[in-house]
Amino acid sequence: MELSNRITALTNGGSDGWDVFYKARDLKKSGRPIIELTIGEHDIGTHRDILEAMGQSARGGHTGYAAVPGTDTLRKTVAQRIKTRTGVPTNASNILITPGGQSALFAAHMAVLDPGDLALYCDPYYATYPGTIRAAGGIDHPIHCRPELDFQPTYEDLDASAKGARSLLVNSPNNPTGVVYDRATWTDIAKVCQNHNLWLISDEVYDTQVWAGCHISPRSLEGMEKRTLVIGSMSKSHAMTGSRVGWICGPETVIEQLINLATHTTYGVPGYIQDAADFALNQGNEDELKVAAPFRRRRDIAMNLIAGQTVVRAVPCSGAMYMMLDIRATGLSGDVFAHVLLDSRQIAVMPGESFGQSAAGHVRVAMTVNDDQFKQALESLLAFAAEQAETT
Ligand code: PMP
């Protein structure tokens, strides 16, 4: 029996550059001491107070179907948080609670794309972006962002692809590059969206992890509120990746339609998970800073080590839990570098090519192991890069 093109086209049938990750996992299972700097999973778990709130809610009976749009309490808390951070008036009716940011990304594209519509996204990109657009029936079109401009998109490149497109998906602080878009970039993005009547889908799941500059939500820019859908999540800010809880913030008319989509797909998010998220958000900024602090520290450790050599260049890492390293001076592709590094030094990093062609010749390092291990891994990676550069 034939499957649909829609489902078979999701990954284009390939592993999309994740073979280093799977190889590292297999080596680790066979007992090899691999240091994994691959995926965006914290090395701490969800705080026990949040788990306690979750348990209390479940034991208290919040285990039946929850309201599909999200509980009133959590929708209000998320709306208030967005209003406080951005200044944009936001109510519960602007919020849909979703099972994580990924589900929100899919729903947002379902809301704005008809089958065959052109949907833009910035390359390098988070691995699921092209497949998410295709799953929603869109035609995925990358905007190449250049390493020499620290992977920030330019007005010219956006404008050149925007004719006839329906939407643009952006992500700042960025996975995989660690770059935080500056105000000039946001102004260009807003101008292109307005000139070409595009929806803007702004993935802000790393908004609590900013090390330099500041996070700007484009929904707060003039004329953008009515055309922007913001994606948020508890995964990164509160180390709640496994709880699957996030949101979309947008115009009320869009949220009303998205509630219909949720009714026919997810049927909402478990009530006790939402209560735990609400509890976590009400603890204030300090807990978020604690979750973010290890990445800030490790970023400083890495920057110091990188400053002491000349082969590897770091893309300025201003946010998120990743660093993108330019390893082109070794003469190797990101893919070969990552494979040989794993084989010879038991360190697993992601090839830049897994995140699109713009990141060729780079590797992404997730700062997700303890400080000592991280330092040791970085020292080893840099020594490996120096050896490779000498032999070319
Ligand atoms: N967007 C980006 C940029 C991500 O890196 C991730 C997860 N790594 C997500 C969205 C999805 O996160 P979640 O579904 O856990 O909220």
Side-chain angles (χ1 to χ4, degrees):
M1 293 293 289
E2 293 256 312
L3 288 171
S4 69
N5 284 334
R6 188 193 285 266
I7 198 89
T8 52
L10 281 189
T11 62
N12 280 334
S15 69
D16 284 346
W18 283 74
D19 22 339
V20 178
F21 169 73
Y22 293 116
K23 186 158 122 189
R25 281 277 149 108
D26 286 346
L27 286 168
K28 208 167 177 182
K29 256 192 235 150
S30 71
R32 299 274 295 280
I34 306 294
I35 301 186
E36 279 187 284
L37 307 174
T38 47
I39 57 168
E41 183 84 86
H42 310 67
D43 50 322
I44 54 163
T46 307
H47 195 282
R48 63 174 184 281
D49 291 351
I50 301 177
L51 297 178
E52 185 52 40
M54 196 183 288
Q56 234 178 48
S57 166
R59 285 190 297 275
H62 207 171
T63 52
Y65 290 122
V68 171
T71 63
D72 288 345
T73 322
L74 182 57
R75 291 176 86 196
K76 273 189 207 144
T77 299
V78 170
Q80 184 57 45
R81 172 189 179 83
I82 291 173
K83 189 173 160 203
T84 308
R85 290 178 176 222
T86 63
V88 184
T90 308
N91 298 313
S93 54
N94 297 115
I95 306 295
L96 172 75
I97 303 300
T98 62
Q102 180 55 43
S103 156
L105 282 166
F106 173 67
H109 283 95
M110 283 294 279
V112 303
L113 297 179
D114 279 316
D117 277 346
L118 193 64
L120 312 178
Y121 61 102
C122 293
D123 173 343
Y125 53 84
Y126 172 50
T128 67
Y129 281 4
T132 303
I133 290 170
R134 290 196 291 268
I139 297 175
D140 56 301
H141 182 88
I143 306 290
H144 290 288
C145 302
R146 301 151 208 258
E148 60 274 22
L149 300 175
D150 295 337
F151 294 113
Q152 307 228 10
T154 64
Y155 178 82
E156 290 70 29
D157 289 338
L158 289 165
D159 186 62
S161 292
K163 192 159 182 275
R166 196 81 182 263
S167 62
L168 168 65
L169 167 59
V170 292
N171 169 223
S172 174
N174 187 271
N175 176 11
T177 63
V179 166
V180 174
Y181 290 178
D182 56 29
R183 188 165 287 279
T185 297
W186 283 123
T187 306
D188 287 347
I189 288 172
K191 201 156 47 155
V192 169
C193 288
Q194 288 172 16
N195 289 350
H196 293 275
N197 199 23
L198 301 184
W199 284 98
L200 180 64
I201 300 174
S202 176
D203 179 345
E204 303 181 19
V205 303
Y206 293 99
D207 65 349
T208 60
Q209 300 179 358
V210 179
W211 327 128
C214 65
H215 170 65
I216 297 172
S217 175
R219 181 167 173 263
S220 67
L221 301 181
E222 205 186 326
M224 291 304 288
E225 189 187 336
K226 63 173 195 268
R227 61 172 73 249
T228 303
L229 302 177
V230 174
I231 309 299
S233 172
M234 297 298 289
S235 287
K236 311 294 176 175
S237 58
H238 292 80
M240 289 181 74
T241 49
S243 291
R244 314 308 306 134
V245 56
W247 57 82
I248 303 181
C249 172
E252 201 175 319
T253 47
V254 181
I255 297 298
E256 274 167 17
Q257 299 296 330
L258 282 170
I259 294 170
N260 287 334
L261 179 69
T263 303
H264 294 90
T265 52
T266 61
Y267 213 78
V269 174
Y272 53 92
I273 300 280
Q274 296 195 60
D275 287 346
D278 190 63
F279 169 85
L281 290 174
N282 280 308
Q283 299 313 295
N285 277 355
E286 245 170 59
D287 284 12
E288 292 167 19
L289 291 175
K290 272 190 209 149
V291 173
F295 306 121
R296 181 189 288 276
R297 255 190 346 254
R298 292 168 199 160
R299 175 228 186 221
D300 292 345
I301 292 173
M303 294 308 257
N304 279 335
L305 292 173
I306 289 164
Q309 52 83 66
T310 52
V311 176
V312 171
R313 187 189 79 90
V315 173
C317 170
S318 308
M321 54 218 279
Y322 315 96
M323 296 191 75
M324 189 63 106
L325 303 182
D326 181 347
I327 50 91
R328 285 175 291 181
T330 63
L332 302 179
S333 68
D335 203 41
V336 171
F337 185 97
H339 274 284
V340 184
L341 181 72
L342 177 59
D343 294 339
S344 62
R345 296 196 174 236
Q346 287 77 49
I347 296 164
V349 296
M350 291 298 295
E353 291 84 358
S354 333
F355 308 102
Q357 278 319 298
S358 303
H362 290 68
V363 292
R364 187 192 75 172
V365 174
M367 301 184 280
T368 48
V369 294
N370 71 50
D371 295 15
D372 289 343
Q373 259 196 338
F374 184 70
K375 179 160 183 275
Q376 188 194 325
L378 252 285
E379 280 166 350
S380 185
L381 182 152
L382 295 175
F384 170 78
E387 271 168 31
Q388 300 304 313
E390 266 169 32
T391 56
T392 54

